[in-house]
């Protein structure tokens, strides 16, 4: 069974601060996704990373895929209250059509 | 576009009762899957399907059945509900090609008393 460890589990910061969320595994994944989930809704895709060492930017969010395709990080610059939510990483087994999720990071950004 | 539609959104059952959670997608996605989400435990895969007529077990399949008679529909059946099945259930779909990017439904909150 492929496992993904996400850290930290909870993060509470002030508006304007920077933060990094980590997603680590002992397994290699075909690709890795980051999702964001708000209360009462399903997760929504933020980004997909496929190539080892890949870096993608989405406004104030920077995503990095490890060189060995076993780990990833999400960095948020100058966090805003609208960034509050549950962030989930997921490793994909593309051939099998299934994904393994980390336990998530609950982010709270206080005004 | 409707995307992935789940019904019902809320359900309360008594122990031992059976029920079916419905999931339908209109994106012609080949892959469909069911996850359950419990506090502090992320999303755990229950069952998944790579196409009509093909299903397989995920990480936590016990107590659940699925079938995939059409590309669009992937119902999840609870045969004899137990309090341990109290959870939020999410259905998701994705394409065969690409990186298995999942489109999720809005979820079904199930309480078993």
């Amino acid at each position: 069974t492929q496992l993904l460890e996400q850290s930290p589990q909870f993060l509470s910061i002030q508006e304007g601060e920077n933060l990094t969320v980590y997603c680590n595994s002992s397994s290699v994944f075909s690709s890795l996704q980051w999702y964001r989930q708000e209360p009462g809704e399903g997760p929504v895709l933020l980004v997909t990373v496929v190539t080892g060492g890949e870096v993608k930017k989405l406004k104030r969010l920077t995503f990095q895929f490890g060189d060995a395709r076993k780990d990833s990080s999400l960095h948020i610059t100058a966090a805003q209250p609208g960034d509050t939510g549950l962030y989930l990483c997921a490793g994909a087994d593309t051939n099998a059509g299934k994904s393994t999720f980390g336990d998530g990071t609950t982010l709270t950004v206080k005004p | 576009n409707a995307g992935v539609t789940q019904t019902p959104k809320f359900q309360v059952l008594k122990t031992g009762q059976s029920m079916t959670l419905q999931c339908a997608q209109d994106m012609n996605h080949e892959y469909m899957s069911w996850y359950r989400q419990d506090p502090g435990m992320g999303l755990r895969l229950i069952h998944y399907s790579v196409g009509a007529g093909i299903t397989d077990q995920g990480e936590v399949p016990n107590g659940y059945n699925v079938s995939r008679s059409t590309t669009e529909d992937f119902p999840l059946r609870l045969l004899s509900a137990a309090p341990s099945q109290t959870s939020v259930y999410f259905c998701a779909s994705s394409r065969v090609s690409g990186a298995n990017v999942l489109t999720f439904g809005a979820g079904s909150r199930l309480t078993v008393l």
Side-chain angles (χ1 to χ4, degrees):
Chain A
T1 303
Q2 296 175 309
L3 296 175
L4 275 171
E5 294 185 356
Q6 220 175 307
S7 63
Q9 187 176 2
F10 298 97
L11 196 52
S12 181
I13 61 173
Q14 293 294 133
E15 182 176 2
E17 293 184 359
N18 301 332
L19 67 112
T20 302
V21 177
Y22 299 94
C23 180
N24 296 302
S25 174
S26 58
S27 302
V28 176
F29 291 100
S30 307
S31 64
L32 192 141
Q33 287 78 42
W34 285 91
Y35 295 85
R36 180 166 170 262
Q37 184 180 19
E38 300 204 26
E41 299 180 7
V44 175
L45 179 73
L46 292 173
V47 78
T48 294
V49 286
V50 178
T51 306
E54 184 175 5
V55 177
K56 282 191 174 180
K57 290 194 173 185
L58 185 66
K59 297 183 180 177
R60 293 175 293 101
L61 279 60
T62 301
F63 304 85
Q64 187 161 5
F65 201 14
D67 290 341
R69 290 167 38 224
K70 293 182 179 180
D71 55 87
S72 182
S73 63
L74 157 61
H75 181 79
I76 301 179
T77 303
Q80 299 177 0
D83 295 328
T84 293
L86 176 66
Y87 290 81
L88 296 157
C89 66
D93 180 348
T94 305
N95 292 333
K98 59 179 182 176
S99 293
T100 300
F101 281 81
D103 288 343
T105 295
T106 300
L107 172 64
T108 303
V109 182
K110 303 174 189 175
Chain B
N1 288 338
V4 178
T5 303
Q6 288 183 237
T7 57
K9 193 162 180 65
F10 300 96
Q11 183 71 50
V12 178
L13 291 177
K14 295 182 180 179
T15 296
Q17 287 185 317
S18 62
M19 77 155 300
T20 299
L21 299 177
Q22 301 291 344
C23 176
Q25 54 96 4
D26 62 357
M27 299 171 287
N28 205 29
H29 284 175
E30 297 87 353
Y31 293 163
M32 296 187 75
S33 49
W34 276 102
Y35 292 84
R36 60 176 289 173
Q37 186 173 39
D38 301 296
M41 298 188 73
L43 289 156
R44 291 183 292 170
L45 182 64
I46 304 171
H47 286 285
Y48 64 103
S49 169
V50 299
I54 305 170
T55 64
D56 207 345
Q57 297 182 350
E59 183 185 357
V60 287
N62 292 341
Y64 308 95
N65 272 2
V66 292
S67 60
R68 183 101 179 266
S69 56
T70 67
T71 300
E72 294 79 18
D73 300 299
F74 192 43
L76 179 71
R77 297 182 186 86
L78 283 71
L79 305 176
S80 178
S84 60
Q85 294 178 303
T86 293
S87 187
V88 181
Y89 292 85
F90 288 97
C91 179
S93 70
S94 59
R95 292 192 181 283
V96 167
S97 59
N100 201 45
V101 171
L102 299 170
T103 301
F104 284 89
S108 299
R109 182 175 293 274
L110 174 67
T111 302
V112 182
L113 303 176

